[in-house]
Amino acid sequence: MPINILSKGSLFPEQLATDMFNLVRGKSSLAKLSGAAPIPFNGERVFTFNFDKEADLVAENGAKSNGGGTVAAIQMIPVKVEYGLRVSDEFRYGSDEIRLQYLTSFAEGFANKVARGIDIMAFHGVNPRSKQKASVITNKNFDDLISNTIVFDSSHPDKNIVDAIALVEGAEHDVSGLAIAPAMKNALAKLTKGSSSNEPMFPELGWGATVGAINGLPTDANSTVSFNSGADRAIVGNFASFFKWGFAKQIPIEVIEYGNPDNSALGDLKGHNQVYLRGEAYVGWGIIDPSAFAIVKTSVSA
Protein backbone atom coordinates (compact mmCIF):
# COMPACT_ATOMS: atom_id res chain seq x y z
CA MET A 1 0.00 0.00 0.00
CA PRO A 2 2.26 2.85 -1.17
CA ILE A 3 1.60 6.13 0.63
CA ASN A 4 4.59 8.18 -0.46
CA ILE A 5 2.28 10.71 -2.17
CA LEU A 6 0.15 11.26 0.93
CA SER A 7 -0.23 15.00 1.48
CA LYS A 8 -2.79 17.63 2.36
CA GLY A 9 -6.17 16.77 0.87
CA SER A 10 -5.39 13.08 0.25
CA LEU A 11 -7.88 10.32 0.94
CA PHE A 12 -7.37 7.36 3.23
CA PRO A 13 -6.22 4.39 1.14
CA GLU A 14 -9.25 2.31 0.12
CA GLN A 15 -8.26 -0.70 2.21
CA LEU A 16 -7.77 1.43 5.32
CA ALA A 17 -11.12 3.14 4.73
CA THR A 18 -12.82 -0.27 4.49
CA ASP A 19 -11.06 -1.46 7.65
CA MET A 20 -12.10 1.73 9.44
CA PHE A 21 -15.79 1.23 8.88
CA ASN A 22 -15.58 -2.44 9.72
CA LEU A 23 -14.27 -1.18 13.08
CA VAL A 24 -17.11 1.35 13.27
CA ARG A 25 -19.63 -1.44 12.79
CA GLY A 26 -17.96 -3.31 15.62
CA LYS A 27 -17.88 -0.39 18.09
CA SER A 28 -21.15 1.49 17.48
CA SER A 29 -24.31 0.00 19.02
CA LEU A 30 -26.44 1.56 16.30
CA ALA A 31 -24.20 0.22 13.54
CA LYS A 32 -24.24 -3.27 15.06
CA LEU A 33 -27.99 -3.38 15.49
CA SER A 34 -29.01 -1.79 12.19
CA GLY A 35 -26.36 -2.35 9.53
CA ALA A 36 -24.76 0.30 7.32
CA ALA A 37 -24.78 1.46 3.72
CA PRO A 38 -23.02 4.38 2.01
CA ILE A 39 -25.19 7.47 1.49
CA PRO A 40 -24.80 10.26 -1.08
CA PHE A 41 -22.80 13.32 -0.04
CA ASN A 42 -25.85 15.57 -0.30
CA GLY A 43 -28.04 13.30 1.81
CA GLU A 44 -30.74 10.83 1.01
CA ARG A 45 -34.51 10.84 1.40
CA VAL A 46 -35.97 7.65 2.89
CA PHE A 47 -39.66 7.21 2.12
CA THR A 48 -42.09 5.44 4.43
CA PHE A 49 -45.64 4.32 3.72
CA ASN A 50 -48.17 4.13 6.55
CA PHE A 51 -51.20 2.04 5.62
CA ASP A 52 -54.26 3.03 7.63
CA LYS A 53 -56.37 -0.11 7.24
CA GLU A 54 -56.06 -3.87 6.90
CA ALA A 55 -55.98 -5.68 3.56
CA ASP A 56 -59.40 -6.02 1.94
CA LEU A 57 -60.96 -9.33 0.96
CA VAL A 58 -62.70 -8.77 -2.36
CA ALA A 59 -65.42 -11.19 -3.47
CA GLU A 60 -65.79 -12.17 -7.10
CA ASN A 61 -67.20 -9.19 -8.96
CA GLY A 62 -67.01 -7.24 -5.67
CA ALA A 63 -66.19 -3.56 -5.40
CA LYS A 64 -62.77 -2.50 -4.13
CA SER A 65 -62.47 0.20 -1.45
CA ASN A 66 -59.78 2.71 -0.57
CA GLY A 67 -57.37 1.59 2.10
CA GLY A 68 -55.87 5.01 2.70
CA GLY A 69 -52.43 5.89 3.89
CA THR A 70 -49.75 8.52 4.14
CA VAL A 71 -46.27 8.84 2.68
CA ALA A 72 -43.52 10.49 4.70
CA ALA A 73 -39.93 11.32 3.79
CA ILE A 74 -37.03 11.36 6.25
CA GLN A 75 -34.03 13.37 5.10
CA MET A 76 -30.70 11.82 6.04
CA ILE A 77 -28.31 14.78 5.96
CA PRO A 78 -24.64 13.87 6.41
CA VAL A 79 -22.81 15.72 9.17
CA LYS A 80 -19.04 16.04 9.27
CA VAL A 81 -17.03 14.68 12.19
CA GLU A 82 -13.30 15.18 12.54
CA TYR A 83 -10.42 14.14 14.74
CA GLY A 84 -6.80 15.26 14.70
CA LEU A 85 -3.61 14.80 16.67
CA ARG A 86 0.08 15.64 16.57
CA VAL A 87 2.65 13.01 15.64
CA SER A 88 6.41 13.06 15.14
CA ASP A 89 7.58 14.35 11.78
CA GLU A 90 9.09 10.90 11.40
CA PHE A 91 5.75 10.34 9.65
CA ARG A 92 6.83 12.78 6.95
CA TYR A 93 10.40 11.66 6.50
CA GLY A 94 10.22 7.96 7.37
CA SER A 95 9.88 5.02 5.03
CA ASP A 96 6.55 3.89 3.63
CA GLU A 97 6.50 1.18 6.29
CA ILE A 98 6.88 3.75 9.09
CA ARG A 99 4.20 6.01 7.62
CA LEU A 100 1.85 3.08 7.12
CA GLN A 101 2.23 2.16 10.80
CA TYR A 102 1.33 5.70 11.82
CA LEU A 103 -1.57 5.87 9.40
CA THR A 104 -2.97 2.46 10.40
CA SER A 105 -2.87 3.33 14.09
CA PHE A 106 -4.49 6.69 13.40
CA ALA A 107 -7.21 5.06 11.29
CA GLU A 108 -8.03 2.57 14.05
CA GLY A 109 -8.30 5.31 16.66
CA PHE A 110 -10.31 7.52 14.34
CA ALA A 111 -12.74 4.67 13.59
CA ASN A 112 -13.36 4.16 17.31
CA LYS A 113 -14.10 7.86 17.79
CA VAL A 114 -16.42 7.95 14.77
CA ALA A 115 -18.28 4.91 16.11
CA ARG A 116 -18.80 6.53 19.50
CA GLY A 117 -19.69 9.81 17.81
CA ILE A 118 -22.45 8.23 15.75
CA ASP A 119 -24.05 6.75 18.86
CA ILE A 120 -23.70 9.91 20.95
CA MET A 121 -25.12 12.16 18.24
CA ALA A 122 -27.96 9.88 17.15
CA PHE A 123 -28.92 8.77 20.67
CA HIS A 124 -28.70 12.16 22.37
CA GLY A 125 -28.31 15.00 19.86
CA VAL A 126 -25.04 16.00 21.51
CA ASN A 127 -21.66 17.12 20.14
CA PRO A 128 -19.42 14.31 21.46
CA ARG A 129 -16.48 16.58 22.30
CA SER A 130 -18.27 19.55 23.86
CA LYS A 131 -21.00 17.36 25.43
CA GLN A 132 -23.47 20.10 24.55
CA LYS A 133 -26.69 19.85 22.56
CA ALA A 134 -26.08 20.55 18.86
CA SER A 135 -28.76 22.49 16.99
CA VAL A 136 -27.91 20.82 13.68
CA ILE A 137 -29.17 17.46 15.04
CA THR A 138 -32.03 18.71 17.23
CA ASN A 139 -35.12 16.54 16.71
CA LYS A 140 -32.97 14.07 14.78
CA ASN A 141 -32.06 11.89 17.76
CA PHE A 142 -33.67 9.31 20.02
CA ASP A 143 -33.90 11.49 23.13
CA ASP A 144 -35.81 14.19 21.24
CA LEU A 145 -38.07 11.93 19.18
CA ILE A 146 -38.94 8.85 21.24
CA SER A 147 -42.03 9.28 23.42
CA ASN A 148 -42.32 5.62 24.51
CA THR A 149 -40.53 5.64 27.87
CA ILE A 150 -40.26 3.45 30.97
CA VAL A 151 -38.82 4.55 34.33
CA PHE A 152 -35.72 2.53 35.24
CA ASP A 153 -35.97 0.31 38.33
CA SER A 154 -32.59 -1.21 39.19
CA SER A 155 -34.27 -3.97 41.23
CA HIS A 156 -36.45 -5.07 38.30
CA PRO A 157 -34.46 -4.27 35.16
CA ASP A 158 -35.78 -7.33 33.33
CA LYS A 159 -39.35 -6.09 33.84
CA ASN A 160 -38.28 -2.69 32.50
CA ILE A 161 -37.14 -4.32 29.26
CA VAL A 162 -40.33 -6.38 29.01
CA ASP A 163 -42.45 -3.25 29.52
CA ALA A 164 -40.45 -1.31 26.93
CA ILE A 165 -40.85 -4.13 24.41
CA ALA A 166 -44.60 -4.10 25.10
CA LEU A 167 -44.74 -0.40 24.15
CA VAL A 168 -43.04 -1.12 20.83
CA GLU A 169 -45.20 -4.13 20.09
CA GLY A 170 -48.28 -2.16 21.16
CA ALA A 171 -47.47 0.23 18.32
CA GLU A 172 -47.52 -2.83 16.01
CA HIS A 173 -43.76 -2.97 15.48
CA ASP A 174 -41.37 -5.88 15.80
CA VAL A 175 -38.33 -5.70 18.08
CA SER A 176 -34.99 -6.43 16.44
CA GLY A 177 -32.44 -5.24 18.99
CA LEU A 178 -31.54 -3.77 22.36
CA ALA A 179 -28.84 -1.29 23.36
CA ILE A 180 -28.04 -1.10 27.09
CA ALA A 181 -25.95 1.17 29.28
CA PRO A 182 -23.42 -0.28 31.76
CA ALA A 183 -25.82 0.41 34.65
CA MET A 184 -28.53 -1.66 32.98
CA LYS A 185 -26.06 -4.43 32.16
CA ASN A 186 -24.90 -4.55 35.78
CA ALA A 187 -28.46 -4.56 37.11
CA LEU A 188 -29.40 -7.44 34.82
CA ALA A 189 -26.21 -9.35 35.71
CA LYS A 190 -27.12 -9.25 39.42
CA LEU A 191 -30.50 -10.92 38.93
CA THR A 192 -30.80 -14.53 40.10
CA LYS A 193 -33.30 -17.22 39.16
CA GLY A 194 -35.01 -17.07 42.56
CA SER A 195 -34.79 -15.58 46.03
CA SER A 196 -33.11 -18.73 47.33
CA SER A 197 -30.83 -19.23 44.33
CA ASN A 198 -27.43 -17.76 43.55
CA GLU A 199 -27.62 -18.88 39.93
CA PRO A 200 -27.62 -15.80 37.69
CA MET A 201 -30.64 -15.25 35.47
CA PHE A 202 -28.40 -13.98 32.67
CA PRO A 203 -25.01 -15.74 33.01
CA GLU A 204 -23.91 -14.30 29.66
CA LEU A 205 -23.62 -10.89 31.36
CA GLY A 206 -21.24 -11.89 34.14
CA TRP A 207 -17.68 -10.72 34.71
CA GLY A 208 -17.67 -8.06 32.03
CA ALA A 209 -18.43 -10.44 29.19
CA THR A 210 -19.15 -8.96 25.78
CA VAL A 211 -22.88 -9.04 25.13
CA GLY A 212 -24.18 -10.47 21.88
CA ALA A 213 -27.74 -11.40 22.81
CA ILE A 214 -30.02 -11.67 25.83
CA ASN A 215 -32.86 -14.19 25.67
CA GLY A 216 -32.22 -14.44 21.95
CA LEU A 217 -32.59 -10.69 21.34
CA PRO A 218 -29.53 -9.09 19.66
CA THR A 219 -28.04 -6.83 22.33
CA ASP A 220 -25.11 -4.45 22.63
CA ALA A 221 -23.83 -2.86 25.84
CA ASN A 222 -22.21 0.53 25.37
CA SER A 223 -21.44 3.53 27.54
CA THR A 224 -22.75 5.75 24.73
CA VAL A 225 -26.31 4.87 25.79
CA SER A 226 -25.87 6.85 29.02
CA PHE A 227 -23.20 9.24 27.71
CA ASN A 228 -22.27 12.18 29.97
CA SER A 229 -24.20 10.76 32.96
CA GLY A 230 -27.42 10.82 30.95
CA ALA A 231 -30.75 9.31 31.99
CA ASP A 232 -30.99 6.57 29.34
CA ARG A 233 -30.44 3.00 30.49
CA ALA A 234 -31.76 0.98 27.54
CA ILE A 235 -33.13 1.58 24.04
CA VAL A 236 -35.14 -1.19 22.43
CA GLY A 237 -36.89 -1.36 19.10
CA ASN A 238 -36.81 -2.22 15.44
CA PHE A 239 -33.34 -0.96 14.55
CA ALA A 240 -33.17 -3.18 11.48
CA SER A 241 -36.12 -1.55 9.71
CA PHE A 242 -36.64 1.87 11.25
CA PHE A 243 -33.17 3.26 11.88
CA LYS A 244 -30.98 3.94 8.85
CA TRP A 245 -27.43 5.25 8.88
CA GLY A 246 -24.52 5.38 6.55
CA PHE A 247 -21.31 7.11 5.61
CA ALA A 248 -19.94 8.86 2.57
CA LYS A 249 -17.40 6.65 0.81
CA GLN A 250 -14.53 9.13 0.62
CA ILE A 251 -12.67 9.86 3.86
CA PRO A 252 -10.22 12.78 3.61
CA ILE A 253 -7.03 12.95 5.64
CA GLU A 254 -4.88 16.04 5.98
CA VAL A 255 -1.20 16.06 6.87
CA ILE A 256 -0.55 19.55 8.20
CA GLU A 257 3.13 20.48 8.49
CA TYR A 258 3.09 24.10 9.66
CA GLY A 259 1.34 26.35 12.14
CA ASN A 260 -0.76 25.55 15.18
CA PRO A 261 -3.88 23.84 13.75
CA ASP A 262 -5.19 22.61 17.11
CA ASN A 263 -4.59 25.92 18.94
CA SER A 264 -2.36 24.01 21.33
CA ALA A 265 -0.01 25.42 23.94
CA LEU A 266 2.66 23.33 22.19
CA GLY A 267 2.74 25.98 19.49
CA ASP A 268 4.16 25.70 15.99
CA LEU A 269 4.42 22.23 14.50
CA LYS A 270 7.67 22.90 12.64
CA GLY A 271 9.28 24.20 15.79
CA HIS A 272 8.55 20.93 17.58
CA ASN A 273 9.37 18.48 14.80
CA GLN A 274 5.75 17.46 14.47
CA VAL A 275 3.03 17.10 11.87
CA TYR A 276 -0.71 17.13 12.46
CA LEU A 277 -2.94 14.32 11.17
CA ARG A 278 -6.61 15.22 10.73
CA GLY A 279 -9.28 12.80 9.55
CA GLU A 280 -12.83 13.68 8.51
CA ALA A 281 -15.89 11.56 7.86
CA TYR A 282 -19.41 12.33 6.72
CA VAL A 283 -22.08 10.28 8.49
CA GLY A 284 -25.85 10.51 8.38
CA TRP A 285 -28.83 8.77 9.96
CA GLY A 286 -32.60 8.81 10.10
CA ILE A 287 -35.12 7.54 12.65
CA ILE A 288 -37.84 6.43 10.27
CA ASP A 289 -40.64 5.87 12.83
CA PRO A 290 -40.14 6.91 16.48
CA SER A 291 -42.98 4.65 17.62
CA ALA A 292 -40.79 1.65 16.70
CA PHE A 293 -38.58 2.37 19.74
CA ALA A 294 -38.82 2.73 23.51
CA ILE A 295 -36.34 4.06 26.07
CA VAL A 296 -35.80 2.98 29.69
CA LYS A 297 -34.73 6.12 31.60
CA THR A 298 -33.95 7.05 35.20
CA SER A 299 -36.54 9.81 34.96
CA VAL A 300 -39.31 10.68 32.56
CA SER A 301 -40.51 14.22 31.99
CA ALA A 302 -44.22 14.83 32.45
Side-chain angles (χ1 to χ4, degrees):
M1 187 190 302
I3 58 172
N4 58 325
I5 61 171
L6 187 65
S7 61
K8 181 177 179 180
S10 296
L11 299 176
F12 275 101
E14 184 176 350
Q15 181 58 48
L16 270 186
T18 300
D19 291 345
M20 279 179 57
F21 280 99
N22 285 335
L23 284 169
V24 169
R25 283 189 283 266
K27 296 293 185 179
S28 162
S29 289
L30 286 169
K32 280 185 182 180
L33 296 173
S34 65
I39 59 174
F41 240 51
N42 60 348
E44 180 179 79
R45 299 180 80 191
V46 179
F47 291 93
T48 62
F49 290 81
N50 293 318
F51 298 115
D52 298 336
K53 301 176 183 178
E54 300 295 343
D56 191 17
L57 173 63
V58 181
E60 186 176 356
N61 299 320
K64 303 177 181 68
S65 62
N66 177 34
T70 56
V71 180
I74 304 295
Q75 188 77 25
M76 294 172 59
I77 299 296
V79 295
K80 181 166 68 174
V81 294
E82 66 85 22
Y83 200 94
L85 78 163
R86 294 175 177 236
V87 300
S88 166
D89 66 359
E90 180 182 36
F91 175 85
R92 181 184 177 192
Y93 297 112
S95 65
D96 271 0
E97 182 179 359
I98 293 294
R99 281 182 281 180
L100 181 57
Q101 289 174 0
Y102 273 100
L103 194 59
T104 300
S105 296
F106 179 79
E108 290 174 354
F110 183 49
N112 291 338
K113 292 303 180 183
V114 170
R116 283 184 56 80
I118 290 168
D119 279 6
I120 292 165
M121 292 185 294
F123 280 148
H124 311 298
V126 166
N127 180 331
R129 186 170 300 176
S130 70
K131 301 180 181 179
Q132 302 297 314
K133 284 283 190 177
S135 60
V136 69
I137 49 178
T138 298
N139 293 324
K140 296 179 182 177
N141 61 84
F142 283 79
D143 284 349
D144 287 348
L145 293 176
I146 308 307
S147 59
N148 293 330
T149 54
I150 297 293
V151 177
F152 177 59
D153 181 353
S154 61
S155 60
H156 299 287
D158 54 334
K159 183 178 182 299
N160 291 163
I161 301 297
V162 171
D163 290 344
I165 289 173
L167 289 177
V168 175
E169 292 180 336
E172 300 188 352
H173 290 294
D174 295 327
V175 172
S176 70
L178 169 68
I180 57 176
M184 174 62 82
K185 179 184 177 183
N186 293 337
L188 289 169
K190 291 176 181 177
L191 294 178
T192 60
K193 291 188 175 181
S195 58
S196 59
S197 172
N198 290 323
E199 186 177 356
M201 184 179 297
F202 304 109
E204 63 269 34
L205 299 180
W207 297 98
T210 300
V211 186
I214 301 176
N215 280 346
L217 179 64
T219 302
D220 191 57
N222 201 321
S223 63
T224 56
V225 176
S226 56
F227 177 72
N228 198 28
S229 302
D232 296 358
R233 293 295 176 266
I235 302 175
V236 64
N238 193 337
F239 294 94
S241 297
F242 291 100
F243 180 84
K244 302 296 182 184
W245 82 278
F247 54 90
K249 292 181 178 180
Q250 294 184 326
I251 307 171
I253 177 172
E254 281 188 288
V255 181
I256 302 172
E257 301 176 358
Y258 306 99
N260 187 7
D262 54 353
N263 299 303
S264 168
L266 291 173
D268 182 71
L269 291 168
K270 192 73 171 179
H272 291 80
N273 299 314
Q274 297 171 333
V275 297
Y276 192 81
L277 299 183
R278 174 179 286 146
E280 297 180 349
Y282 285 87
V283 298
W285 65 86
I287 300 170
I288 310 303
D289 187 347
S291 69
F293 301 92
I295 305 178
V296 178
K297 309 169 77 83
T298 56
S299 61
V300 177
S301 300

